[in-house]
Amino acid sequence: MELTVNGEKHQIDADENMPLLWALRDLLQLTGTKFGCGAGLCGACTVHADGMAIRACLTPVKAVAGQQITTIEGLSSAGDHPLQEAWIKHNVPQCGYCQAGQIMTAAAFLEKNPSPSEADINQAMSGNLCRCGTYPRIKAAIKDAAASHPGKGDEINGGEVNG
Amino acid sequence: MGAKSMDNRKGIALVSRRKFLQLAGLSGGSLILGASLPGWQPAWASGLEADTKLNLFVSVDSDDTVSIICHRSEMGQGIRTGLPQVVADEMEAEWAKVKVVQGLGDKRYGSQNTDGSRSVRRFYDTMRKMGASARTMLEEAAAQRWSVPVAECEARAHRVHHKPSGKSASFGELAELAATQKVPDDASLKLKPAESFKYIGKPVPTYDTPDMVTGKAVFGQDVVIDNMLIASIERAPVLGSKLEKLDDKAAKKITGVIAVERLDGGIEPPLFHPLSGVAVLATNTWATMQGRKALKLSWSDTPHAQHDSASFIETLKQRVSEPGKVITQHGDAQKALEAADKRLQATYSAPYLAHATMEPVSATALAKEDGCEIWACVQDPQSVQAHVGTALGLPAEKIKVNVTLLGGGFGRKSKPDFVVEAALLSKKTGRPVKVVWSREDDIHHDYYHAASAAFFEAGLDKDGKVSSWLQRTAFPSIGGTFAPGADHPAPFELDLGFADMPFAIDNRQCETAQAEYHTRIGWLRSVSNIQNAFGVCSFADEVAHAAGSNPEEFLLELIGPDRKFDPSQGEYKYNNYGESQEKFPVDTARLKEVLRRTAAKADLSSVANGRSSGEGWGIAVHRSFLSYVGIATKVRVQNGKLEILEMHCVCDVGLAVNPDRVESQMEGAMVFGLSLALMGEIKMEKGAVSNSNFHDYPLLRIQQCPAMSVEIIASEEPPAGVGEPGVPPVAPSITNAIFAASGTRIRDLPINRHLTLA
Ligand code: FES
Ligand code: FES
């Protein structure tokens, strides 16, 4: 089976029902995507498939064959995605384990909604747990990234955004 | 927690380069310093002897890199930043040129048991000395090189400057010569004055954050070793139970499954032994999980299979209503109660809790004839050495433990049962093995925070003054995990916010009642402070309302005059988190200051708190881990629905070495406390845990997280605990607020048994 991850094509030898999470972690050794619950309850495994945030633990590899998968390792080439920068600025992570999933969820969401309200952020991020309790800083970092890169989300549409 | 031993012999010594490299796995390094450190071991916890003369290191490379070993585990508290920033500051190293190296498990470092909120307070002074010593040696090297008096040389920003001539040399250039200098003795060391601190007390950015936001950070679950097998283990659901029958034919047919192995278990006391189980080993995690589902097996019966958490808590409540074992006694509480004008009683309970670290535990092992190498997310690598060594029949020093980052710890990862599993399976299969715990495994096989009940009774005199106070608690002791026969809360658990209750009441008595264990009990972030503070801070609030007083004024009076007191009495010796009471007294003045500032965040007037508005404020203050923390919470209760509107934390943690990480720990503690108070409940039926994942053991989600603030009181007192003390006052601040808002007093946690969460 062929998987395209972070722009690279990989041939993998896997049961077609194997969740993408284990294909990424065990077969491609892309361990930035985390295992938190295996049941779609925590968001630690969030990656993008054709720009959409999905839970890799519940997505069989066959469902994403032919799609562009992006993991935390491929979100930006130099770790300088506006959210990654905002995360550093607000010193968001504690243990860090949930943070790849948080950032991937937030990145897909900001693409669609570049100037979110507090309620929008709450709703978008409600599927991502953080046991360490970094929620206040996650919120602040998302707001900051949205404010300092108002055009970011509109790249897809090529339009102007007020911000 | 348990017996402690301490050795105050401190001194800094050059250690051989070979030893340093061996400990750290470093290359290069010219100036290498070691320091002997005080040792600390909870003897019952690890079975390790308290080895006292041990080392910690800093090295300077000729390329200017300063490598600082962090010998404690990083689990989100920022220790890989906090300790090195102290060394770097004293040393005049530039943070950008500092490399933090994770120390392997090694007794020579002193205790590496990262729990009890003690990393900074235990190692702050030593780290300063290490930095100062390195600085002095670099200055001496420069003086020698330039043939000038050392007094004319000054280290500043990673260089040594010759003041009269203005010439300078980098640390890297001086490293080799510095390593040949005599190590200054403690007495001659000059520490920097506080006003010239560059990093201490400043929000130095967390060392690992860039790796964490790019997916490069390596946790226990992320370890990859050539040729390794991945293991998933079906374990006995009830304590003491053993495997009876196994049919693994179907499991072995799954593509990718290589082997099925049994693990012996069912031992009591459970210690850190693996549970009885069957491991499916495969080339990938998916296959091992599929194989495990295909196992057919049965387990032996054990007396613990009668255990039911709901009826157990009822039993505990019954037991605390009757006279118990007296621990401390001041005046005559019983007589004063009988003479009281008004008497008040209340019984509280709290359920079992699971740690639910975001990263389920995981360990990788490669066992060989003569040794074993481990890569794992562990809070205490030396305990791993001891237990893996015993399991494999090897001396502890033959076990090499590489500590990865921990995706949360909270006490779970100081129990190395999962590492022993990996080591045994590697030995059986002859290949490296990574044991992957699933979330279900984590919830089903934790070392749980104990379920508890506590009874309180107070007597008020005619003027509404509290004349007597009786408190009695029952919960299965952590001691039961380590020694047979533990059936009462142990003194070390009463040290945590119960027997050290700070109220100046003439007649008061502290008692325990019977509670036996039926599952593995362990320590969870702030330990029995959770239920102890819930009881003490709730009941004080109840009495305040009964006396018709404002909770702040009432509490100030209850705490009484400014004083430092020793809670020890008779047989009961207060352990004070292993620290001396001279250095870290129980200080009511500090507690009262936190109380005043906490109350100032709230509006405790009866106007603000009312059943008509459905809104109300609650406060709670508590000393634990030598720190003082207050929480003020505002809630709305309407039609049986609860909303947490605001939460504020005020803390006095002594000197805040890294204020940003103190703030983040307090934010984290509030979220942790909210989860446990609102929705934390592990249920056991027929001896087995019936929760399984985040749908039935929920954690607070972002939309439930209230607006928060943290105020850190500026202090020159020695740094005290930070990771844990924020948790205990959270639950009672919420239930006190609920009472203010609605008149409903919640005495049985979690709160979602009584109110729906908005
Ligand atoms: S691991 Fe996929 S949602 Fe938790
Ligand atoms: S930072 Fe630890 S779980 Fe989110």
Side-chain angles (χ1 to χ4, degrees):
Chain A
M1 202 181 309
E2 188 174 274
L3 272 188
T4 308
V5 183
N6 301 330
E8 250 181 77
K9 289 193 190 332
H10 299 269
Q11 293 302 323
I12 58 161
D13 175 18
D15 181 321
E16 59 175 19
N17 290 316
M18 179 189 283
L20 175 61
L21 174 66
W22 301 116
L24 292 172
R25 289 179 55 81
D26 291 346
L27 308 184
L28 302 181
Q29 299 183 354
L30 287 169
T31 55
T33 304
K34 302 300 183 203
F35 170 47
C37 69
L41 298 165
C42 77
C45 64
T46 307
V47 298
H48 298 170
D50 286 345
M52 279 242 312
I54 58 162
R55 307 295 187 220
C57 69
L58 291 182
T59 308
V61 278
K62 67 178 173 199
V64 288
Q67 296 190 27
Q68 294 286 336
I69 310 292
T70 307
T71 68
I72 187 72
E73 290 93 340
L75 181 64
S76 63
S77 49
D80 55 356
H81 183 281
L83 283 166
Q84 289 168 320
E85 287 177 343
W87 245 245
I88 290 173
K89 179 173 159 203
H90 290 267
N91 221 351
V92 173
Q94 287 185 34
C95 81
Y97 196 76
C98 72
Q99 300 296 345
Q102 306 278 5
I103 291 172
M104 294 308 282
T105 301
F109 152 67
L110 276 191
E111 286 289 341
K112 288 206 208 74
N113 182 353
S115 20
S117 67
E118 170 112 11
D120 294 340
I121 295 175
N122 276 342
Q123 203 194 352
M125 303 305 295
S126 65
N128 286 75
L129 287 172
C130 175
R131 180 56 151 163
C132 298
T134 62
Y135 299 134
R137 291 178 190 230
I138 288 173
K139 275 189 210 177
I142 293 175
K143 284 182 196 163
D144 202 347
S148 52
H149 296 267
K152 180 69 191 162
D154 240 51
E155 279 165 16
I156 305 171
N157 310 325
E160 288 289 315
V161 174
N162 303 322
Chain B
M1 292 159 71
K4 295 171 178 71
S5 77
M6 210 177 130
D7 184 337
N8 282 317
R9 282 173 296 155
K10 281 190 203 162
I12 297 176
L14 277 176
V15 295
S16 76
R17 171 186 301 234
R18 198 185 57 76
K19 204 198 237 179
F20 177 74
L21 298 179
Q22 191 188 326
L23 276 165
L26 270 181
S27 59
S30 295
L31 170 60
I32 299 170
L33 283 176
S36 68
L37 296 169
W40 189 96
Q41 283 295 337
W44 46 265
S46 60
L48 294 170
E49 87 273 27
D51 193 325
T52 47
K53 196 169 179 325
L54 310 157
N55 295 293
L56 234 172
F57 308 95
V58 51
S59 91
V60 183
D61 258 18
S62 45
D63 74 353
D64 239 16
T65 304
V66 168
S67 296
I68 300 173
I69 288 197
C70 180
H71 67 304
R72 313 281 288 182
S73 299
E74 177 62 66
M75 45 193 174
Q77 82 283 40
I79 203 61
R80 277 167 54 87
T81 308
L83 289 179
Q85 86 184 62
V86 174
V87 179
D89 197 336
E90 275 294 350
M91 186 175 170
E92 278 293 322
E94 287 189 325
W95 188 245
K97 292 178 186 159
V98 167
K99 182 171 155 206
V100 178
V101 178
Q102 190 66 36
L104 297 171
D106 196 302
K107 290 206 298 192
R108 286 168 288 181
Y109 285 134
S111 170
Q112 293 177 274
N113 185 10
T114 315
D115 76 351
S117 300
R118 65 180 140 243
S119 292
V120 170
R121 72 172 198 258
R122 274 298 164 97
F123 296 102
Y124 176 71
D125 293 343
T126 311
M127 290 296 163
R128 289 190 64 186
K129 286 184 191 167
M130 300 239 320
S133 177
R135 170 180 23 89
T136 309
M137 291 165 82
L138 286 158
E139 286 169 348
E140 271 161 1
Q144 188 180 335
R145 180 163 167 172
W146 299 323
S147 306
V148 297
V150 67
E152 293 177 0
C153 299
E154 184 184 62
R156 206 175 342 111
H158 230 88
R159 300 184 75 80
V160 180
H161 300 261
H162 182 234
K163 285 177 280 184
S165 70
K167 65 185 161 194
S168 71
S170 73
F171 280 8
E173 288 161 357
L174 295 167
E176 207 157 325
L177 195 53
T180 65
Q181 304 301 311
K182 197 169 134 289
V183 178
D185 55 34
D186 271 16
S188 69
L189 276 184
K190 274 229 279 299
L191 298 181
K192 280 168 94 170
E195 59 273 15
S196 51
F197 285 162
K198 269 209 313 234
Y199 303 130
I200 299 171
K202 308 285 182 329
V204 172
T206 312
Y207 185 77
D208 295 298
T209 296
D211 282 353
M212 285 172 176
V213 302
T214 50
K216 293 195 196 92
V218 176
F219 297 86
Q221 289 268 1
D222 301 337
V223 172
V224 177
I225 303 293
D226 273 354
N227 197 34
M228 78 180 178
L229 292 173
I230 296 178
S232 178
I233 304 173
E234 188 72 22
R235 299 174 187 80
V238 180
L239 184 65
S241 169
K242 294 185 170 79
L243 181 68
E244 260 182 0
K245 283 199 218 102
L246 169 66
D247 173 355
D248 60 8
K249 283 196 274 312
K252 282 183 164 157
K253 286 199 192 111
I254 306 268
T255 315
V257 171
I258 304 292
V260 175
E261 298 285 351
R262 293 168 188 234
L263 285 170
D264 294 335
I267 303 162
E268 285 192 63
L271 278 164
F272 300 141
H273 300 301
L275 296 168
S276 174
V278 179
V280 177
L281 296 111
T283 51
N284 66 73
T285 315
W286 175 241
T288 178
M289 288 175 167
Q290 296 305 104
R292 188 174 153 194
K293 277 192 207 141
L295 293 173
K296 292 194 192 75
L297 28 69
S298 65
W299 305 101
S300 69
D301 202 12
T302 97
H304 299 300
Q306 306 302 318
H307 186 58
D308 177 280
S309 54
S311 62
F312 182 63
I313 290 173
E314 287 313 309
T315 304
L316 296 182
K317 285 166 87 169
Q318 176 55 38
R319 287 186 188 154
V320 294
S321 71
E322 288 154 20
K325 186 159 111 188
V326 177
I327 305 296
T328 59
Q329 210 170 11
H330 296 84
D332 190 334
Q334 208 52 50
K335 212 160 112 200
L337 277 174
E338 278 151 28
D341 190 55
K342 192 170 178 183
R343 288 171 74 160
L344 228 78
Q345 292 185 344
T347 304
Y348 303 88
S349 76
Y352 288 115
L353 296 169
H355 298 78
T357 55
M358 209 63 228
E359 174 197 30
V361 295
S362 178
T364 304
L366 174 54
K368 302 215 174 106
E369 272 301 273
D370 56 345
C372 180
E373 184 157 6
I374 303 285
W375 298 262
C377 48
V378 290
Q379 285 175 243
D380 188 359
Q382 290 173 33
S383 166
V384 171
Q385 290 183 293
H387 288 89
V388 169
T390 307
L392 298 182
L394 291 168
E397 348 33 291
K398 295 284 180 202
I399 315 300
K400 180 176 176 190
V401 183
N402 304 276
V403 180
T404 64
L405 291 172
L406 280 58
F410 314 125
R412 174 62 182 95
K413 292 173 182 169
S414 56
K415 291 95 174 171
D417 55 325
F418 59 101
V419 193
V420 178
E421 290 177 339
L424 289 171
L425 291 172
S426 175
K427 186 177 176 179
K428 280 175 196 266
T429 57
R431 288 175 68 169
V433 171
K434 171 156 84 173
V435 170
V436 171
W437 283 48
S438 65
R439 178 59 54 196
E440 288 79 6
D441 296 337
D442 174 60
I443 302 284
H444 288 156
H445 304 294
D446 200 355
Y447 287 76
Y448 302 94
H449 178 81
S452 62
F455 170 85
F456 289 78
E457 182 162 17
L460 303 174
D461 66 18
K462 285 193 299 300
D463 311 321
K465 247 183 83 86
V466 180
S467 55
S468 64
W469 180 283
L470 172 72
Q471 55 181 27
R472 190 181 296 129
T473 186
F475 51 88
S477 171
I478 290 168
T481 298
F482 300 96
D487 65 351
H488 272 251
F492 71 83
E493 292 162 313
L494 304 175
D495 291 345
L496 311 183
F498 203 69
D500 53 342
M501 185 275 289
F503 302 149
I505 301 165
D506 291 341
N507 304 293
R508 58 187 199 275
Q509 188 154 316
C510 172
E511 300 179 8
T512 60
Q514 190 193 333
E516 55 293 308
Y517 76 87
H518 295 288
T519 183
R520 304 192 293 184
I521 302 293
W523 47 95
L524 173 142
R525 191 177 192 174
S526 89
V527 203
S528 33
N529 279 295
I530 292 172
Q531 66 266 32
N532 294 341
F534 177 59
V536 171
C537 300
S538 292
F539 192 59
D541 194 69
E542 293 208 38
V543 181
H545 284 283
S549 309
N550 168 303
E552 178 193 3
E553 287 156 25
F554 186 82
L555 274 175
L556 282 171
E557 188 175 324
L558 214 50
I559 296 167
D562 291 356
R563 67 195 185 286
K564 293 170 179 158
F565 73 94
D566 181 355
S568 302
Q569 196 209 35
E571 303 262 283
Y572 170 71
K573 297 277 176 281
Y574 179 60
N575 179 275
N576 201 34
Y577 301 88
E579 300 287 355
S580 80
Q581 293 192 38
E582 288 73 57
K583 191 171 176 189
F584 293 101
V586 186
D587 187 341
T588 59
R590 291 172 77 184
L591 185 65
K592 281 158 67 185
E593 181 56 21
V594 167
L595 168 59
R596 285 186 206 100
R597 293 191 192 211
T598 304
K601 310 272 177 208
D603 184 347
L604 297 168
S605 68
S606 48
V607 187
N609 297 315
R611 285 163 218 189
S612 49
S613 66
E615 293 186 0
W617 283 94
I619 56 166
V621 292
H622 186 72
R623 174 187 185 269
S624 65
F625 304 91
L626 316 161
S627 287
Y628 304 78
V629 182
I631 301 283
T633 302
K634 186 181 189 189
V635 304
R636 183 187 299 131
V637 183
Q638 244 158 11
N639 309 322
K641 246 177 129 178
L642 168 71
E643 205 179 336
I644 313 290
L645 300 173
E646 289 172 48
M647 189 172 275
H648 306 276
C649 167
V650 176
C651 61
D652 172 354
V653 298
L655 173 73
V657 169
N658 187 327
D660 177 71
R661 289 299 89 183
V662 173
E663 189 180 306
S664 75
Q665 281 300 294
M666 292 301 155
E667 290 162 0
M670 287 190 268
V671 172
F672 198 93
L674 277 156
S675 287
L676 78 84
L678 296 177
M679 55 191 88
E681 181 176 22
I682 286 292
K683 294 182 186 163
M684 298 195 199
E685 290 163 26
K686 299 201 171 74
V689 171
S690 57
N691 319 55
S692 62
N693 206 318
F694 293 128
H695 64 291
D696 56 7
Y697 187 69
L699 306 178
L700 196 82
R701 290 183 181 271
I702 197 166
Q703 72 276 18
Q704 298 168 310
C705 182
M708 294 181 162
S709 74
V710 177
E711 178 185 344
I712 302 168
I713 297 181
S715 170
E716 312 235 302
E717 299 288 337
V722 168
E724 299 172 89
V727 174
V730 174
S733 83
I734 301 171
T735 51
N736 291 346
I738 291 171
F739 181 80
S742 66
T744 303
R745 175 60 64 178
I746 291 177
R747 300 191 183 95
D748 302 291
L749 293 178
I751 293 165
N752 69 358
R753 287 170 55 187
H754 315 272
L755 294 168
T756 311
L757 306 179

